[in-house]
Amino acid sequence: MAQHSRGTTFSGRSPATRPPPAGTRPPAAQWLLSLDIVLALLALAGGLRVLALAAPAPALPAEAANVAHAYALGHLTPFTDAGGAGVSPFGWLQLSAATMVSDAFGRSATALAAVRETMIVTAVAGALLLWVLARRLGLTRWASAAAVALLAASPLALGLQRLVVVEHLAAVWALGALVLITKPGARIRHDVAAAGCLLAAVLTSPLALAILPAAGWLLVRRGPARAALVAVLLNLGLGIAFGPAAAVLRPHLAAAGRPSVADWVALDPAWAVLSTVALVAALAVTSLRPFAVSGLLLAATLLIPGVPGTAVLALLLPVTPLLLAGVAQAVTRPRTAAHRWPTGRSPAVAAGAVVLVATVAVGWGYGYPALPLSTDRSGPLAAARDWLRANASGARLLVDDAAWAELADAGWPTGMLASPAACAATCPPAEWAVFGDDEAGLRSRYPALEAAFAGTVTTAVFGTGDRRVTVSRLGVPLTDPAAPSEASEASARAHAGAALTASPRITFTPDAAAVLRAGQVDPRLIATIAALAALQPATVGAFPEIPGEDPAGRPRRRVLLTGGADGAAAFYTGQRDLFRPSSVTRTADGVLVTYPLFAPTGLLVPFSSP
């Protein structure tokens, strides 16, 4: 194998392109063209990821733990996740530092969006490093642009790189190391920096160990002595991190779970096909062979049970576009015998290029509709947060990792938030529980949660499917056998509501009357509206829904009275005890009356409409 004193290139020579004669520089026009291309590609990568930031699917359950750790570390707050999300102290430190520098938690609508902003910056940095690496390997300007464009615009990359996954950080560190290693005329300081980048990549995610063969191969090509220096520095750092400092630095992979590799491939089937071809074909191209070997090692880890597919794909994402562009250039522009395929140049290059473009277009046409882009960064958890602020402010909560981060970011005292990890033996006292669709899994993992959930009442539900967030009231006393059942209560509300709609002294809008007849109105509202009608004619404009409570089956406890505003406001303000509202508000449309949660049972009695 040839050894070089300077950086390795696609053609086996050290410069990224053939060096100009001594004392001259590349034409300014070419430099400006490259700059324009790079800036356009970075804008494409960043802009698409801003749109994909709030895409609801695919969702990664382990993402919530990374967000919570980033918040806790930046605010010096203790936090223990529910398990299964992996451990990456150095990765969490990077996320926390980025959010602190950018004040992301203070600016963003949700804690998740705050940390995902770091992923956008990470993706853009990765795209820039990929361009530099491709040029240093000898790829042409347009081949390098194609590699970056594939990474920037692939639906799979958009869906995956929006997630808070530490492997994205590891990929940027690895790319930085490879860029330093392939630098023409690299000095010892560049090798030391490359060793630092490789160490940072491995400390962020142990999967980055698969990148070491490529780095080592390139270093040996340049010179064994310099390769030995990097190896010594890297081993020294790993020895410290995995030895004396293992308690604070050693990373562990997350548990395998959804989304699976098949779920990701469904976003861009062309990526899977072309990546497989590129990984194998690149073995025949001298300058790409180190990267192909590392890529194949990463792909092989997908066969190991328990290895998270999402983490592996995060590291593979920047590798395969580089290989694909390099192989395509080797086929279409074999400048020397070193680049030429063993069988010679294919006579169907043009047809192959058309097939390649068509394959990518078909894959993207299938993947983009499956990845809904959105600029709305709120979501079910944000709605649950707002509901709790209005109805349970300051209460002790039992929450999952995602809710912990969101509520802590909203200013909820972290001492009042208990995560499932606190339920190893018994759960701490709590009045409310906030869990996503992982509630069943957490209850099976922490048996003490079952005892905490005894006597719960589902109070509000936000979102659907795997984005569903449920707010439950804990510690509700067992129902008295002599008390009316929920079915009896609903029937009584429907009967009383139908009688109320027949009153000539009350005017209802059609929607309000329908809600009453369906038995979906709080009995305190039914009773007080009947009493108000005995004093003055009343006009009911609506029974406004309180977000989250209708899906939970809770009766509506808010009414908008649009007639006789002064008398209605005085009437409800003067109520006492059970019939006292939580708020009486004058609005432009009338008087809005809201009752607190949980009306007492057996409140409705038979009455005649006035």
Side-chain angles (χ1 to χ4, degrees), residues 222-317:
R222 196 172 65 192
R226 302 279 284 275
L229 171 64
V230 173
V232 169
L233 293 175
L234 181 60
N235 283 319
L236 177 62
L238 291 176
I240 295 173
F242 285 79
V248 294
L249 284 178
R250 184 172 182 174
H252 298 279
L253 288 176
R258 69 179 198 277
S260 64
V261 174
D263 295 330
W264 288 118
V265 169
L267 288 178
D268 193 352
W271 181 88
V273 174
L274 295 176
S275 295
T276 302
V277 173
L279 285 169
V280 176
L283 293 172
V285 183
T286 302
S287 59
L288 298 178
R289 196 170 294 141
F291 302 92
V293 169
S294 284
L296 288 170
L297 284 175
L298 276 172
T301 60
L302 293 173
L303 303 177
I304 302 175
V307 173
T310 298
V312 175
L313 292 180
L315 283 167
L316 267 177
L317 272 179

Side-chain angles (χ1 to χ4, degrees), residues 137-463:
L137 290 174
L139 270 70
T140 65
R141 184 182 294 111
W142 299 110
S144 302
V148 177
L150 286 173
L151 177 64
S154 167
L156 188 152
L158 291 179
L160 182 53
Q161 288 188 327
R162 85 190 199 288
L163 298 178
V164 183
V165 178
V166 295
E167 279 71 22
H168 295 317
L169 302 171
V172 170
W173 284 114
L175 286 172
L178 296 172
V179 165
L180 289 167
I181 290 170
T182 55
K183 176 179 174 58
R187 300 180 180 274
I188 291 180
R189 66 175 180 271
H190 299 111
D191 294 339
V192 172
C197 288
L198 291 172
L199 177 62
V202 176
L203 291 181
T204 302
S205 172
L207 281 174
L209 288 167
I211 304 296
L212 298 185
W217 197 328
L218 294 172
L219 284 165
V220 170
R221 281 182 177 180
R222 196 172 65 192
R226 302 279 284 275
L229 171 64
V230 173
V232 169
L233 293 175
L234 181 60
N235 283 319
L236 177 62
L238 291 176
I240 295 173
F242 285 79
V248 294
L249 284 178
R250 184 172 182 174
H252 298 279
L253 288 176
R258 69 179 198 277
S260 64
V261 174
D263 295 330
W264 288 118
V265 169
L267 288 178
D268 193 352
W271 181 88
V273 174
L274 295 176
S275 295
T276 302
V277 173
L279 285 169
V280 176
L283 293 172
V285 183
T286 302
S287 59
L288 298 178
R289 196 170 294 141
F291 302 92
V293 169
S294 284
L296 288 170
L297 284 175
L298 276 172
T301 60
L302 293 173
L303 303 177
I304 302 175
V307 173
T310 298
V312 175
L313 292 180
L315 283 167
L316 267 177
L317 272 179
V319 175
T320 53
L322 175 69
L323 297 181
L324 184 61
V327 169
Q329 178 171 306
V331 172
T332 58
R333 299 184 59 183
R335 292 173 294 177
T336 67
H339 310 114
R340 204 168 275 121
W341 290 80
T343 57
R345 185 173 180 176
S346 170
V349 169
V354 172
V355 171
L356 178 64
V357 173
T359 302
V360 172
V362 170
W364 289 7
Y366 179 82
Y368 269 106
L371 183 68
L373 304 182
S374 172
T375 56
D376 180 12
R377 300 188 181 183
S378 61
L381 198 52
R385 172 202 65 197
D386 295 340
W387 187 94
L388 286 164
R389 277 175 167 174
N391 297 279
S393 180
R396 293 183 177 273
L397 307 180
L398 186 60
V399 296
D400 61 10
D401 294 344
W404 189 96
E406 193 58 51
L407 291 168
D409 183 41
W412 209 283
T414 54
M416 307 293 281
L417 301 174
S419 67
C423 296
T426 58
C427 290
E431 302 163 73
W432 297 85
V434 187
F435 282 84
D437 72 322
D438 56 347
E439 177 185 325
L442 291 173
R443 290 172 71 167
S444 63
R445 189 183 307 167
Y446 295 95
L449 277 176
E450 287 292 343
F453 272 84
T456 61
V457 173
T458 300
T459 311
V461 176
F462 304 90

Side-chain angles (χ1 to χ4, degrees), residues 103-115:
D103 190 29
F105 285 115
R107 293 182 295 99
S108 300
T110 64
L112 178 61
V115 186

